[in-house]
Amino acid sequence: MRVILAQPRGFCAGVVRAIEIVDRALRQHGAPVYVRHEIVHNRHVVDNLRQKGARFVEELDEVPQGAVAIFSAHGVAKTVERDAEARGLDVLDATCPLVTKVHVQGRQYVAAGRTLILIGHAGHPEVEGTIGQIPGKVLLVQSEAQVAKLELREDTPLAYVTQTTLSVDDTRGIIDALMRRFTDIVGPDTRDICYATQNRQAAVRALSKEVDVLLVVGATNSSNSNRLREIGSESGVASYLVADGSEVKAEWFASVRTVGITAGASAPEEMVENVIDALRALGPVDVTTMAGHEEKVEFKLPSKLMQPLAAREV
Ligand code: 0CN
Ligand code: SF4
């Protein structure tokens, strides 16, 4: 079997930064440190940090007064920030700077007197965070069909922002529908979809032309990973989302010659290797990586974590 690895794939700069924040917090403060929500949507990442002393909670009322609390890469609502302050928590914010950028942009549109539409998936923590970062009402739109149902006059001054991990193609369709229906609407086009999401989607679209089966390494609750699997399916390739090699099923590969593998922005490269090992257990494999461009994005850590560690902590 031939295996072609997508390029780019796997960890993005926001995920690397978020994991590094938890790691450094543990070294600087000692265990436990508390993390609100999965730091990124990956069980292997979470389990690894838990073993080092991180405690994962869904809400801040599970965090003792004064403890170190880390917000996940997906961002939080203002109410969560205020709650943390009220509880005297020592906060480290691992919100991806590209998510924060959307919060800022949304607030600017509202300050300019526009009603804000958020294109995104209901219930996703990034969407809850973004809605909660904007003063006033935010209208959530999840599909083209919902554009027609918005109870707004066609000349209402509107603006839109989007979740960072959406399908570029689906978002384009929703934006086009908004532009058709409303006469005074502004927004960033699809540029709120982050570089990592866009690059992984472009790579998987190209890879889908070369392969019989596509494996996407990532978690079921990871938005960007799900979008990669959808692109494979839409390209007519049988596509599966797998957390690791244990989820790979032999029957997917009957008469298959070429398998494509990609990984969501929150999926560690060790899990890609683990999936390749699972394929090796089925027969000989020849692994290559597609030509693709290298990403050089890096984000700064919060200044609180930039102090040199004391000798005993290194
Ligand atoms: O899988 P993630 O933790 O998050 P979503 O794709 O579900 O948003 O990947 C990191 C992305 C962010 C923020
Ligand atoms: Fe940031 Fe994009 Fe990575 Fe999310 S997927 S953490 S928005 S770089």
Side-chain angles (χ1 to χ4, degrees), residues 100-298:
T100 305
K101 188 188 87 179
V102 176
H103 298 168
V104 172
Q105 194 178 40
R107 283 197 289 266
Q108 284 169 345
Y109 285 133
V110 170
R114 292 181 178 273
T115 297
L116 195 69
I117 291 171
L118 170 63
I119 304 173
H121 297 294
H124 189 281
E126 181 184 327
V127 164
E128 288 177 354
T130 300
I131 291 174
Q133 283 285 339
I134 313 288
K137 197 170 156 154
V138 177
L139 301 163
L140 182 65
V141 170
Q142 304 192 69
S143 63
E144 278 185 52
Q146 285 186 355
V147 172
K149 295 198 183 114
L150 287 168
E151 289 179 8
L152 294 166
R153 282 173 46 149
E154 68 172 34
D155 60 350
T156 311
L158 295 173
Y160 65 87
V161 293
T162 86
Q163 193 178 337
T164 56
T165 52
L166 300 178
S167 149
V168 176
D169 291 345
D170 293 354
T171 307
R172 155 107 290 119
I174 296 173
I175 292 170
D176 288 350
L178 286 169
M179 303 299 254
R180 279 197 301 272
R181 180 163 170 214
F182 298 105
T183 56
D184 183 11
I185 181 161
V186 292
D189 197 68
T190 54
R191 286 185 300 275
D192 279 351
I193 301 177
C194 74
Y195 82 95
T197 300
Q198 303 227 16
N199 291 348
R200 278 152 195 67
Q201 288 180 13
V204 99
R205 197 169 291 110
L207 182 62
S208 296
K209 296 198 177 90
E210 314 288 328
V211 301
D212 308 310
V213 167
L214 177 74
L215 301 179
V216 178
V217 184
T220 49
N221 61 338
S222 165
S223 168
N224 78 89
S225 306
N226 279 290
R227 303 297 78 81
L228 296 175
R229 194 203 61 73
E230 281 167 11
I231 290 173
S233 296
E234 285 159 15
S235 312
V237 175
S239 304
Y240 305 96
L241 182 64
V242 292
D244 54 39
S246 72
E247 295 184 2
V248 168
K249 295 203 167 65
E251 68 252 33
W252 296 342
F253 308 99
S255 73
V256 161
R257 299 170 79 137
T258 311
V259 180
I261 304 182
T262 187
S266 45
E269 186 63 14
E270 294 94 282
M271 292 308 126
V272 173
E273 277 153 30
N274 188 251
V275 165
I276 298 171
D277 286 342
L279 294 178
R280 280 208 182 94
L282 303 174
V285 295
D286 163 40
V287 184
T288 54
T289 300
M290 70 184 268
H293 79 266
E294 203 188 323
E295 291 173 335
K296 295 208 173 109
V297 181
E298 274 181 39

Side-chain angles (χ1 to χ4, degrees), residues 12-15 73 96 98-99 164-165 194-197 265 299:
C12 61
V15 164
C96 177
L98 298 181
V99 173
T164 56
T165 52
C194 74
Y195 82 95
T197 300
F299 295 130

Side-chain angles (χ1 to χ4, degrees), residues 20-152:
E20 182 72 15
I21 288 174
V22 183
D23 252 324
R24 284 199 179 222
L26 281 164
R27 282 186 282 159
Q28 202 161 299
H29 298 276
V33 299
Y34 291 81
V35 184
R36 183 186 179 279
H37 192 68
E38 290 189 337
I39 186 74
V40 298
H41 289 145
N42 192 277
R43 189 172 52 80
H44 294 283
V45 170
V46 167
D47 285 349
N48 186 274
L49 293 171
R50 193 182 280 125
Q51 268 173 18
K52 294 182 185 172
R55 292 201 190 151
F56 290 86
V57 298
E58 275 315 304
E59 293 305 336
L60 293 184
D61 58 10
E62 300 165 61
V63 182
Q65 285 267 342
V68 173
I70 302 170
F71 297 155
S72 79
H74 318 95
V76 298
K78 279 274 179 223
T79 48
V80 175
E81 291 176 355
R82 281 189 214 113
D83 188 20
E85 208 183 317
R87 300 174 137 267
L89 302 180
D90 185 357
V91 170
L92 286 163
D93 190 356
T95 304
C96 177
L98 298 181
V99 173
T100 305
K101 188 188 87 179
V102 176
H103 298 168
V104 172
Q105 194 178 40
R107 283 197 289 266
Q108 284 169 345
Y109 285 133
V110 170
R114 292 181 178 273
T115 297
L116 195 69
I117 291 171
L118 170 63
I119 304 173
H121 297 294
H124 189 281
E126 181 184 327
V127 164
E128 288 177 354
T130 300
I131 291 174
Q133 283 285 339
I134 313 288
K137 197 170 156 154
V138 177
L139 301 163
L140 182 65
V141 170
Q142 304 192 69
S143 63
E144 278 185 52
Q146 285 186 355
V147 172
K149 295 198 183 114
L150 287 168
E151 289 179 8
L152 294 166

